[in-house]
Amino acid sequence: MFDRYTIVGHFYDFVSNLYSGKSIQNCKIAHLDLLKPGDKVLFAGVGHGRDALYAAKRGAEVTVVDLSETMLMKLRKVLTAEGGKVDVRQVHSDILKFDEAGTYDMVVANFFLNVFNRSMMPRVLDHLIAQARPGGKVVVGDFAYPRGNLITRAFKTAYWYFAVIFFWLIAGNSVHDIYNYPEFMAKSGLRIEGKKHFRLLAMDCYWSVLGRKPA
Ligand SMILES: C[S@@+](CC[C@H](N)C(=O)[O-])C[C@H]1O[C@@H](n2cnc3c(N)ncnc32)[C@H](O)[C@@H]1O
Protein backbone atom coordinates (compact mmCIF):
# COMPACT_ATOMS: atom_id res chain seq x y z
CA MET A 1 0.00 0.00 0.00
CA PHE A 2 1.62 3.29 -1.10
CA ASP A 3 2.27 5.57 1.90
CA ARG A 4 2.08 9.27 1.03
CA TYR A 5 3.01 10.18 4.61
CA THR A 6 6.35 8.30 4.69
CA ILE A 7 8.25 11.58 5.19
CA VAL A 8 5.86 13.98 6.90
CA GLY A 9 4.24 11.19 8.95
CA HIS A 10 7.22 11.16 11.29
CA PHE A 11 6.85 14.78 12.34
CA TYR A 12 3.18 15.48 11.53
CA ASP A 13 2.06 16.43 15.06
CA PHE A 14 5.19 18.53 15.59
CA VAL A 15 4.46 20.51 12.38
CA SER A 16 0.80 20.85 13.33
CA ASN A 17 1.70 22.30 16.77
CA LEU A 18 4.23 24.63 15.20
CA TYR A 19 1.62 25.84 12.71
CA SER A 20 -1.29 26.31 15.11
CA GLY A 21 -0.02 26.47 18.67
CA LYS A 22 -2.34 24.13 20.56
CA SER A 23 -5.43 25.13 18.53
CA ILE A 24 -5.49 22.08 16.26
CA GLN A 25 -4.97 19.68 19.18
CA ASN A 26 -7.78 21.38 21.14
CA CYS A 27 -10.06 21.31 18.10
CA LYS A 28 -9.52 17.57 17.71
CA ILE A 29 -10.85 16.73 21.18
CA ALA A 30 -13.61 19.36 21.18
CA HIS A 31 -16.59 17.00 21.20
CA LEU A 32 -15.02 13.90 22.72
CA ASP A 33 -16.34 14.74 26.20
CA LEU A 34 -19.72 13.60 24.88
CA LEU A 35 -18.43 10.02 24.84
CA LYS A 36 -19.58 7.66 27.57
CA PRO A 37 -17.70 4.53 28.71
CA GLY A 38 -18.43 1.71 26.29
CA ASP A 39 -19.40 3.99 23.37
CA LYS A 40 -18.05 2.81 20.04
CA VAL A 41 -16.07 5.47 18.23
CA LEU A 42 -14.38 5.42 14.84
CA PHE A 43 -11.51 7.78 13.93
CA ALA A 44 -11.05 8.07 10.15
CA GLY A 45 -7.54 9.01 8.98
CA VAL A 46 -6.38 9.03 12.58
CA GLY A 47 -2.75 10.12 12.15
CA HIS A 48 -0.76 10.08 15.41
CA GLY A 49 -4.04 9.64 17.25
CA ARG A 50 -3.79 11.69 20.43
CA ASP A 51 -7.54 12.30 20.01
CA ALA A 52 -8.13 8.53 19.79
CA LEU A 53 -6.05 8.05 22.94
CA TYR A 54 -8.14 10.73 24.71
CA ALA A 55 -11.35 8.87 23.73
CA ALA A 56 -9.96 5.50 24.84
CA LYS A 57 -8.97 6.98 28.21
CA ARG A 58 -12.59 8.07 28.65
CA GLY A 59 -13.54 4.41 28.36
CA ALA A 60 -14.76 4.43 24.75
CA GLU A 61 -14.25 1.41 22.50
CA VAL A 62 -11.97 2.94 19.87
CA THR A 63 -11.35 1.84 16.28
CA VAL A 64 -8.97 3.80 14.06
CA VAL A 65 -8.46 3.55 10.31
CA ASP A 66 -5.53 4.97 8.39
CA LEU A 67 -3.99 4.32 4.99
CA SER A 68 -0.51 5.27 6.20
CA GLU A 69 1.63 2.69 7.99
CA THR A 70 3.93 5.54 9.11
CA MET A 71 1.03 7.29 10.86
CA LEU A 72 -0.11 4.04 12.49
CA MET A 73 3.45 3.35 13.65
CA LYS A 74 3.49 6.79 15.33
CA LEU A 75 0.13 5.98 16.95
CA ARG A 76 1.57 2.73 18.29
CA LYS A 77 4.43 4.73 19.85
CA VAL A 78 1.89 7.03 21.52
CA LEU A 79 0.09 3.95 22.89
CA THR A 80 3.31 2.29 24.02
CA ALA A 81 4.20 5.43 25.97
CA GLU A 82 1.00 4.74 27.96
CA GLY A 83 2.54 1.45 29.07
CA GLY A 84 0.16 -0.69 26.97
CA LYS A 85 -2.74 0.20 29.29
CA VAL A 86 -4.93 1.70 26.56
CA ASP A 87 -6.61 -0.47 23.97
CA VAL A 88 -7.20 0.88 20.45
CA ARG A 89 -8.20 -1.31 17.50
CA GLN A 90 -6.08 -0.35 14.49
CA VAL A 91 -7.09 -0.93 10.87
CA HIS A 92 -4.61 -0.26 8.09
CA SER A 93 -6.93 0.45 5.16
CA ASP A 94 -8.42 2.90 2.74
CA ILE A 95 -11.48 4.24 4.58
CA LEU A 96 -13.69 3.46 1.57
CA LYS A 97 -12.78 -0.23 1.89
CA PHE A 98 -13.65 -0.27 5.59
CA ASP A 99 -17.32 -1.08 6.07
CA GLU A 100 -18.97 -1.52 9.47
CA ALA A 101 -22.11 0.37 8.57
CA GLY A 102 -24.50 1.34 11.35
CA THR A 103 -22.05 0.40 14.14
CA TYR A 104 -20.61 3.56 15.70
CA ASP A 105 -21.99 5.92 18.36
CA MET A 106 -19.55 8.53 17.08
CA VAL A 107 -17.51 8.87 13.89
CA VAL A 108 -14.68 11.42 13.98
CA ALA A 109 -12.99 13.00 10.95
CA ASN A 110 -10.30 15.35 12.24
CA PHE A 111 -8.39 17.18 9.51
CA PHE A 112 -9.21 14.21 7.27
CA LEU A 113 -11.85 15.30 4.76
CA ASN A 114 -9.64 18.15 3.55
CA VAL A 115 -7.26 15.66 1.90
CA PHE A 116 -9.94 14.88 -0.73
CA ASN A 117 -10.90 16.90 -3.77
CA ARG A 118 -14.30 18.54 -4.13
CA SER A 119 -15.91 15.64 -5.99
CA MET A 120 -14.50 12.92 -3.73
CA MET A 121 -14.99 14.57 -0.32
CA PRO A 122 -18.82 14.29 -0.17
CA ARG A 123 -18.52 10.60 -1.14
CA VAL A 124 -16.13 9.99 1.76
CA LEU A 125 -18.36 12.01 4.11
CA ASP A 126 -21.40 9.87 3.11
CA HIS A 127 -19.37 6.73 3.76
CA LEU A 128 -18.44 8.00 7.25
CA ILE A 129 -22.06 8.85 8.00
CA ALA A 130 -23.02 5.31 6.95
CA GLN A 131 -20.68 3.90 9.63
CA ALA A 132 -22.59 5.74 12.40
CA ARG A 133 -25.61 4.04 13.96
CA PRO A 134 -29.03 5.69 13.58
CA GLY A 135 -29.01 8.63 16.01
CA GLY A 136 -25.19 8.51 16.17
CA LYS A 137 -22.86 11.51 16.05
CA VAL A 138 -20.49 12.57 13.28
CA VAL A 139 -17.77 15.06 14.22
CA VAL A 140 -15.70 16.99 11.70
CA GLY A 141 -12.75 19.02 12.99
CA ASP A 142 -10.98 21.12 10.40
CA PHE A 143 -10.17 24.58 9.05
CA ALA A 144 -13.13 26.89 9.60
CA TYR A 145 -14.87 28.40 6.59
CA PRO A 146 -13.48 31.95 6.35
CA ARG A 147 -15.81 34.64 7.66
CA GLY A 148 -15.31 38.18 8.94
CA ASN A 149 -14.00 41.29 7.25
CA LEU A 150 -11.85 41.31 4.11
CA ILE A 151 -8.53 41.31 6.01
CA THR A 152 -9.56 38.42 8.27
CA ARG A 153 -10.81 36.38 5.31
CA ALA A 154 -7.63 37.11 3.34
CA PHE A 155 -5.46 36.01 6.29
CA LYS A 156 -7.43 32.80 6.82
CA THR A 157 -7.33 31.97 3.12
CA ALA A 158 -3.58 32.59 2.85
CA TYR A 159 -3.01 30.58 6.05
CA TRP A 160 -4.98 27.67 4.55
CA TYR A 161 -3.18 27.74 1.20
CA PHE A 162 0.18 27.71 2.99
CA ALA A 163 -0.77 24.36 4.58
CA VAL A 164 -2.53 22.91 1.58
CA ILE A 165 0.36 23.61 -0.79
CA PHE A 166 2.83 22.17 1.72
CA PHE A 167 0.79 18.93 1.89
CA TRP A 168 0.31 18.88 -1.88
CA LEU A 169 4.09 19.02 -2.32
CA ILE A 170 4.98 16.56 0.42
CA ALA A 171 2.03 14.12 0.40
CA GLY A 172 0.22 14.76 -2.89
CA ASN A 173 -2.99 15.90 -1.15
CA SER A 174 -5.59 17.73 -3.20
CA VAL A 175 -5.44 21.55 -3.56
CA HIS A 176 -8.83 23.22 -3.15
CA ASP A 177 -10.51 26.07 -1.29
CA ILE A 178 -11.75 25.68 2.31
CA TYR A 179 -14.84 23.49 2.57
CA ASN A 180 -17.92 24.68 4.36
CA TYR A 181 -18.39 21.43 6.30
CA PRO A 182 -21.71 22.20 8.06
CA GLU A 183 -23.26 22.80 4.62
CA PHE A 184 -21.98 19.48 3.28
CA MET A 185 -22.98 17.65 6.46
CA ALA A 186 -26.51 19.07 6.38
CA LYS A 187 -26.81 18.18 2.68
CA SER A 188 -25.82 14.61 3.59
CA GLY A 189 -28.69 14.37 6.05
CA LEU A 190 -27.05 15.29 9.37
CA ARG A 191 -28.64 17.68 11.85
CA ILE A 192 -26.01 20.20 12.93
CA GLU A 193 -26.05 20.30 16.74
CA GLY A 194 -22.94 22.30 17.55
CA LYS A 195 -19.91 24.20 16.33
CA LYS A 196 -16.90 24.99 18.49
CA HIS A 197 -14.35 27.49 17.23
CA PHE A 198 -10.61 27.58 17.93
CA ARG A 199 -8.52 30.66 17.52
CA LEU A 200 -5.14 31.66 16.24
CA LEU A 201 -4.08 35.32 16.53
CA ALA A 202 -7.61 36.17 17.72
CA MET A 203 -9.16 34.70 14.56
CA ASP A 204 -11.42 31.64 14.37
CA CYS A 205 -9.21 29.49 12.19
CA TYR A 206 -10.52 26.03 13.16
CA TRP A 207 -13.83 24.50 14.10
CA SER A 208 -15.24 21.23 15.29
CA VAL A 209 -18.70 20.58 13.88
CA LEU A 210 -21.07 18.14 15.56
CA GLY A 211 -23.69 16.44 13.39
CA ARG A 212 -26.39 13.95 14.35
CA LYS A 213 -27.64 11.17 12.07
CA PRO A 214 -31.44 10.77 12.05
CA ALA A 215 -32.62 7.99 14.40
C1 LIG B 1 -4.08 15.49 7.30
S1 LIG B 1 -3.82 13.97 8.10
C2 LIG B 1 -4.78 14.13 9.57
C3 LIG B 1 -4.39 13.15 10.61
C4 LIG B 1 -5.15 13.26 11.95
N1 LIG B 1 -6.56 13.01 11.83
C5 LIG B 1 -4.90 14.57 12.61
O1 LIG B 1 -5.84 15.36 12.76
O2 LIG B 1 -3.76 14.83 13.02
C6 LIG B 1 -4.81 12.90 7.09
C7 LIG B 1 -4.71 11.43 7.49
O3 LIG B 1 -5.62 10.70 6.67
C8 LIG B 1 -4.98 9.51 6.20
N2 LIG B 1 -5.64 9.15 4.93
C9 LIG B 1 -5.59 9.80 3.75
N3 LIG B 1 -6.37 9.20 2.84
C10 LIG B 1 -6.93 8.13 3.46
C11 LIG B 1 -7.85 7.13 3.07
N4 LIG B 1 -8.34 7.08 1.83
N5 LIG B 1 -8.23 6.20 3.98
C12 LIG B 1 -7.75 6.23 5.25
N6 LIG B 1 -6.87 7.16 5.68
C13 LIG B 1 -6.46 8.10 4.81
C14 LIG B 1 -3.53 9.90 6.06
O4 LIG B 1 -2.69 8.77 6.05
C15 LIG B 1 -3.33 10.81 7.27
O5 LIG B 1 -2.99 10.07 8.41
Side-chain angles (χ1 to χ4, degrees):
M1 219 178 284
F2 178 64
D3 187 353
R4 290 170 164 202
Y5 285 76
T6 313
I7 303 167
V8 75
H10 289 279
F11 50 93
Y12 181 86
D13 266 7
F14 175 75
V15 171
S16 143
N17 287 339
L18 206 62
Y19 178 74
S20 76
K22 283 280 171 208
S23 289
I24 287 183
Q25 297 303 333
N26 292 336
C27 177
K28 289 198 285 196
I29 58 168
H31 284 106
L32 299 185
D33 288 346
L34 296 172
L35 288 168
K36 297 186 293 299
D39 276 0
K40 287 181 193 252
V41 55
L42 171 67
F43 287 82
V46 70
H48 292 194
R50 289 190 184 278
D51 43 5
L53 172 66
Y54 184 92
K57 281 182 165 174
R58 288 188 64 83
E61 230 181 83
V62 178
T63 298
V64 305
V65 178
D66 205 294
L67 195 51
S68 163
E69 180 51 31
T70 311
M71 289 297 212
L72 289 175
M73 189 255 294
K74 291 297 285 190
L75 167 73
R76 282 193 287 275
K77 284 194 176 160
V78 167
L79 296 175
T80 305
E82 294 295 317
K85 281 178 284 185
V86 182
D87 193 28
V88 169
R89 176 182 165 224
Q90 298 158 45
V91 182
H92 183 204
S93 168
D94 183 335
I95 193 71
L96 291 175
K97 295 193 178 139
F98 173 89
D99 195 359
E100 295 186 348
T103 300
Y104 290 92
D105 297 294
M106 183 186 279
V107 176
V108 181
N110 276 332
F111 297 84
F112 173 59
L113 291 169
N114 72 35
V115 309
F116 301 99
N117 66 32
R118 196 167 266 279
S119 63
M120 191 67 179
M121 189 278 281
R123 207 181 127 202
V124 178
L125 175 61
D126 285 345
H127 182 70
L128 296 184
I129 294 170
Q131 307 313 303
R133 65 163 173 78
K137 302 176 187 75
V138 176
V139 174
V140 176
D142 219 301
F143 284 78
Y145 194 70
R147 302 211 188 274
N149 62 37
L150 190 64
I151 294 170
T152 310
R153 277 184 283 135
F155 173 85
K156 289 180 187 174
T157 305
Y159 180 67
W160 156 254
Y161 276 107
F162 179 80
V164 90
I165 288 171
F166 175 79
F167 278 99
W168 170 65
L169 288 171
I170 207 151
N173 288 358
S174 158
V175 177
H176 54 80
D177 53 358
I178 303 178
Y179 296 140
N180 192 345
Y181 290 103
E183 239 175 45
F184 282 101
M185 291 163 77
K187 214 180 275 178
S188 290
L190 296 176
R191 189 172 71 236
I192 305 302
E193 293 194 340
K195 290 176 202 160
K196 292 187 182 177
H197 291 261
F198 297 86
R199 291 170 162 253
L200 182 81
L201 302 176
M203 283 177 268
D204 291 333
C205 288
Y206 308 101
W207 59 8
S208 177
V209 185
L210 173 66
R212 170 89 61 177
K213 188 170 169 172

